[in-house]
Amino acid sequence: MITPLTALAQAWPAKPIRVIVNFPPGGAADQIARAITLPLQEALGQPVIVDNRAGAGGNIGGDALAKSPPDGYTLLLTSGGLVSINPAIYPKMSFDPARDIIPVAAAARVLVFLEVKPSLPVKNVKEFIAYAKANPGKLTYASPGNGSSPHLAGEMFKDMTQSFSVHVPYRGAAPAMQDLLGGQVDFMFDPGIGLNHVRAGKLRLLAVGSPKRSPLFPDVPTLSEVGLKGFDADTVFGFYAPTGTPVAIVTRLNSEINKILATQAVKDRVAGLGGEVAPMTPAEFGAKAHEDTARFSKLIKDRHISGD
């Protein structure tokens, strides 16, 4: 017996697909989405259009997805924070990520890079920690928003070094990076969009806030290596769909996206952000989100982190 959902899956895709990105243009989520949507469009034979819906720590885009028909024509590309962090810091979300959206395909594991403005009188992490502790409250750090992995990286750094600096949240990584380049803030845990500025000498890279070094900067240590044992602020970006989307469509999307992640062009694009492609099944991607929830929940509670 052919059910309406079976018929829908068999006919899919018959019209353009919209990919919501819940952060502004120019950030890591936007760049990853655009690296994948063009080849996905070719694979599916239909236009795949990126729709940036920024705000509320990614919740505006998440809400737009949750309220969309579960027909495979609306997807969301987001950081892992929407599922693993936001429910802990936003007590009144308009949707429930655990109930209203489902994982489709992981896209990329994104590292964070501790970068400071060049005028700051520090050359390495040891000097930076000493400076931060000697000047409590005088340093400011940017993030893409409350609860983002760069924000949690900053709080993790403050907690582990017993230092205090002022968090300045932005509506995305790109505007945060612009103010770091302009000297309006002192440092940032960058999700990879500022690495060309590091190479150009406009920013100073001190360390990687991830479990392993970046192959782009093999001589730059991890924070764990320089004494902050276990420091890990990585996050996995990926695609989600509304709950109820037919399994056949989710399976097809997962297969096509994983094929795209295996291409050298996309590997190189993600590597340019300092990250790495992260092909997973929907179940593996969901399990990763649960793992990250457990990893960040204690920090959120201990640091009294809340949403905007």
Side-chain angles (χ1 to χ4, degrees):
M1 177 181 176
I2 297 179
T3 67
L5 285 178
T6 302
L8 171 65
Q10 290 175 343
W12 183 90
K15 62 181 183 180
I17 296 165
R18 178 174 61 133
V19 175
I20 299 168
V21 175
N22 56 346
F23 293 101
D30 183 68
Q31 292 192 44
I32 291 167
R34 293 179 190 278
I36 295 171
T37 51
L38 182 59
L40 184 61
Q41 176 173 288
E42 295 170 356
L44 297 177
Q46 290 288 346
V48 181
I49 302 159
V50 173
D51 178 11
N52 294 91
R53 296 284 191 95
N59 287 340
I60 289 176
D63 180 73
L65 178 78
K67 290 179 169 56
S68 296
D71 55 9
Y73 291 103
T74 305
L75 304 173
L76 171 72
L77 186 284
T78 181
S79 70
L82 181 74
V83 172
S84 60
I85 296 171
N86 285 17
I89 67 171
Y90 291 96
K92 295 183 179 180
M93 290 176 66
S94 59
F95 69 103
D96 181 354
R99 180 193 65 213
D100 299 330
I101 67 176
I102 57 173
V104 172
R109 187 183 304 276
V110 175
L111 285 62
V112 290
F113 299 83
L114 174 56
E115 298 161 3
V116 302
K117 63 183 183 183
S119 61
L120 210 62
V122 298
K123 301 296 183 184
N124 54 50
V125 177
K126 183 178 179 180
E127 291 181 359
F128 180 61
I129 293 173
Y131 186 86
K133 295 180 76 169
N135 296 276
K138 293 184 179 180
L139 291 179
T140 55
Y141 75 98
S143 85
N146 284 336
S148 62
S149 58
H151 173 209
L152 293 191
E155 293 300 311
M156 199 179 301
F157 179 83
K158 288 157 63 176
D159 186 57
M160 296 177 78
T161 60
Q162 293 298 293
S163 63
F164 175 66
S165 51
V166 178
H167 175 224
V168 183
Y170 291 78
R171 292 186 62 181
M177 177 56 62
Q178 286 304 310
D179 271 9
L180 178 61
L181 289 166
Q184 282 87 0
V185 290
D186 298 304
F187 70 99
M188 177 178 174
F189 281 90
D190 168 29
I193 65 169
L195 298 181
N196 284 335
H197 300 301
V198 170
R199 296 185 184 95
K202 296 179 181 178
L203 295 173
R204 182 175 299 132
L205 174 59
L206 299 184
V208 181
S210 304
K212 61 182 181 180
R213 295 190 182 197
S214 167
L216 297 180
F217 301 92
D219 295 332
V220 176
T222 67
L223 284 169
S224 188
E225 288 178 307
V226 296
L228 305 187
K229 299 299 182 184
F231 195 106
D232 177 9
D234 279 6
T235 188
V236 174
F237 287 63
F239 292 87
Y240 290 82
T243 295
T245 301
V247 173
I249 292 177
V250 172
T251 301
R252 172 83 187 280
L253 281 165
N254 182 270
S255 175
E256 298 294 355
I257 291 169
N258 284 344
K259 289 176 187 175
I260 291 166
L261 295 177
T263 64
Q264 196 59 48
V266 172
K267 286 182 179 178
D268 289 346
R269 184 77 177 272
V270 173
L273 293 170
E276 58 187 17
V277 296
M280 299 180 194
T281 65
E284 289 169 338
F285 187 26
K288 173 60 178 167
H290 287 300
E291 175 189 312
D292 287 347
T293 298
R295 181 159 61 96
F296 288 123
S297 59
K298 185 177 186 302
L299 177 70
I300 291 169
K301 182 179 179 180
D302 290 348
R303 302 292 297 181
H304 305 289
I305 298 171
S306 61
D308 296 313

